[in-house]
Amino acid sequence: MRKTLYIIGLSTIVFSCTSQQNAKKRQYIPRTPSTQPKTTANTTSEKPKPKVSTEHGVDFFTTNIADITKNDNTASYGSIVSAKPAGYKVVKDYFPAIAQNFRQRYLILHYTALPDDKSITVLTQQAVSAHYLVNNMGNNEIYQLVDENKRAYHAGVSAWRADKNLNDTSIGIEIVNTGYTTDASGKRVFAPFDEAQIRKVAALVKDIVNRYQIPATNILAHSDIAPTRKQDPGPLFPWKRLYDEYQIGMWYDEAAKQSFYDLAVSTDFPSKYNDSTFIFNVQTQLQKFGYGLDLSGKWDDATKKTIEAFQYHFRPQNYDGILDPETFAILQALIQKYPVK
C-alpha cells in the first residue's frame, strides 16, 4: 500500500514538473524592436484628381481618370447633371468615381427614305428621332436633333448579340436618302448616296466612335439590328470604303474568305443546302455573329431576311437572301475575325 502511494505521488510530481517545463517553453518573449522601424504606407492617399471646372454656374469634367482598357471612362462630354435636393447641398469633393462607362455603346446608321425638308419635319415633330441628321444639300452642316446623353427613338425593336432595345445604348445617325423603289420583277432598287454625304458620315462616325470607344462590331446598319423589319441604309451604303479609308466598322479579310469559299465549293455545297442540320448550323452562325434570329432549321422568312440584311452590309453585289457559297464564306471569315468575347 505504501509502495503504491509512493508511486502515485512520484508520478504526480513528475507530471507537475513536466507541465511547468512545457509552460516555460511556451512562454511568450517579446521581440526587441529593430533600430529602424518599418514605415507604413499611406493607403489612404490618392492621386490628385483634375478639378471639376465651372462655367457660368455649370459644372464640367472632361478628363478621363479611369482605365480605358476596361471600357471605363469618367470624362463627360457636356455638363454634369446633378440633383438639387431641397434643403441640402450636393458637393463634388470626391467626383468622379472611376468605375463608370458610357451609355453610348452602339452607333446605328439609317436612311430617312424622305427628302431633306420632310426628313427634318418627321425627325423633329413626330414620335421618331435620331441624334444626328446628315442632309443632302451639298453644304458642310450636320444637324443635331437629340443630346447624345439622351435616348433617341431610332432603333425600335432591335437586338445585336446579347443586347436588346438598342435605343438605350446607341447613337443614331439618319442620312437623307430616298431609299428604294421596286422594279417590275419585284426587286428592290436602291438610291445612291451623295459623295458629300459619305464624307460627312465618315467624319461624324469617326468622332463619335473615338470619343466613346465604340468597337467595330457595334457600328451597324438598322437592317443589322432589325433584319425582319428594316433595309436601311441598304446595299449602296459604302461599308467597305468606310472600313478601308476611315477604319470604321467591320469587314472581312479577303484571304480568309477565299479559303472558306474554296472549302465550301470542294465539299459539294449544294447537296447539303436543304438539309435541316445544315440550315440549323447556318442560323446558329448568324446568331453567333450577332443577328437576332430564332433557330428553326428551315429557310423561313426570318432567316431569308436576315441573310438579305447580311448581304446588304457585307455582300452588296447580290442581296437575294439566298445563302450561296460566297455569302457563307464571308460569314465564316467575319466570325473568325470578330469572335464574341
Side-chain angles (χ1 to χ4, degrees), residues 172-184:
I173 298 175
E174 288 276 2
I175 308 165
V176 172
N177 179 281
T178 55
Y180 68 86
T181 56
T182 304
D183 66 13

Side-chain angles (χ1 to χ4, degrees), residues 7-285:
I7 293 172
I8 293 172
L10 181 60
S11 300
T12 303
I13 293 170
V14 171
F15 177 79
S16 175
C17 292
T18 304
S19 299
Q20 288 177 12
Q21 289 174 1
N22 290 340
K24 287 180 181 180
K25 288 181 182 179
R26 292 196 300 268
Q27 185 177 1
Y28 172 73
I29 302 174
R31 294 182 180 180
T32 305
S34 61
T35 55
Q36 295 182 359
K38 295 181 181 179
T39 56
T40 304
N42 183 7
T43 57
T44 60
S45 64
E46 294 181 0
K47 185 179 179 180
K49 295 180 182 180
K51 298 293 184 182
V52 173
S53 61
T54 302
E55 298 178 21
H56 307 291
V58 179
D59 291 337
F60 298 86
F61 190 89
T62 57
T63 304
N64 180 34
I65 64 169
D67 187 348
I68 198 67
T69 64
K70 297 179 180 178
N71 199 32
D72 290 343
N73 202 306
T74 60
S76 57
Y77 298 124
S79 60
I80 301 167
V81 179
S82 304
K84 296 180 180 179
Y88 296 90
K89 181 181 180 181
V90 173
V91 297
K92 299 182 178 68
D93 296 347
Y94 306 101
F95 185 94
I98 63 172
Q100 57 179 288
N101 60 18
F102 292 121
R103 175 197 70 81
Q104 299 87 341
R105 297 180 53 243
Y106 288 89
L107 192 145
I108 311 300
L109 294 169
H110 310 253
Y111 60 49
T112 62
L114 294 168
D116 283 280
D117 55 346
K118 290 185 178 179
S119 295
I120 294 169
T121 300
V122 169
L123 290 170
T124 60
Q125 303 300 320
Q126 297 186 20
V128 61
S129 61
H131 293 90
Y132 294 97
L133 173 63
V134 177
N135 67 38
N136 193 25
M137 300 174 69
N139 57 30
N140 69 342
E141 294 182 341
I142 297 170
Y143 305 140
Q144 182 168 8
L145 309 180
V146 177
D147 183 342
E148 288 182 0
N149 286 325
K150 293 186 178 179
R151 295 168 69 247
Y153 302 156
H154 63 98
V157 178
S158 51
W160 186 255
R161 294 192 172 179
D163 295 324
K164 300 183 184 301
N165 299 319
L166 298 188
N167 279 339
D168 295 342
T169 54
S170 67
I171 289 180
I173 298 175
E174 288 276 2
I175 308 165
V176 172
N177 179 281
T178 55
Y180 68 86
T181 56
T182 304
D183 66 13
S185 67
K187 182 179 179 180
R188 296 186 181 115
V189 180
F190 290 84
F193 290 88
D194 182 76
E195 176 63 25
Q197 282 184 304
I198 298 305
R199 292 195 296 270
K200 283 186 189 181
V201 170
L204 178 59
V205 171
K206 196 72 173 175
D207 172 77
I208 294 168
V209 165
N210 287 344
R211 283 188 291 115
Y212 295 114
Q213 297 296 303
I214 298 174
T217 53
N218 290 10
I219 304 170
L220 301 165
H222 196 187
S223 54
D224 289 323
I225 63 172
T228 61
R229 300 188 299 113
K230 298 295 180 179
Q231 297 78 40
D232 54 313
L236 296 187
F237 185 78
W239 288 104
K240 187 176 189 303
R241 179 180 169 188
L242 263 63
Y243 177 85
D244 289 339
E245 297 182 15
Y246 299 94
Q247 298 74 55
I248 291 172
M250 297 180 283
W251 201 257
Y252 56 87
D253 295 331
E254 185 63 34
K257 184 212 88 171
Q258 189 61 46
S259 177
F260 284 114
Y261 178 81
D262 292 343
L263 181 62
V265 172
S266 67
T267 54
D268 194 15
F269 189 86
S271 67
K272 58 186 177 182
Y273 186 80
N274 290 315
D275 181 81
S276 60
T277 301
F278 175 76
I279 299 170
F280 185 88
N281 287 336
V282 169
Q283 291 171 332
T284 301
Q285 289 167 342

Side-chain angles (χ1 to χ4, degrees), residues 274-320:
N274 290 315
D275 181 81
S276 60
T277 301
F278 175 76
I279 299 170
F280 185 88
N281 287 336
V282 169
Q283 291 171 332
T284 301
Q285 289 167 342
L286 285 165
Q287 189 184 77
K288 181 179 180 180
F289 182 56
Y291 291 95
L293 178 65
D294 292 332
L295 309 179
S296 66
K298 301 176 181 178
W299 296 121
D300 52 26
D301 186 62
T303 302
K304 181 179 178 180
K305 287 180 177 177
T306 300
I307 293 170
E308 190 176 69
F310 178 83
Q311 291 170 330
Y312 286 157
H313 194 144
F314 299 106
R315 199 210 173 191
Q317 299 83 0
N318 184 356
Y319 47 90
D320 57 8

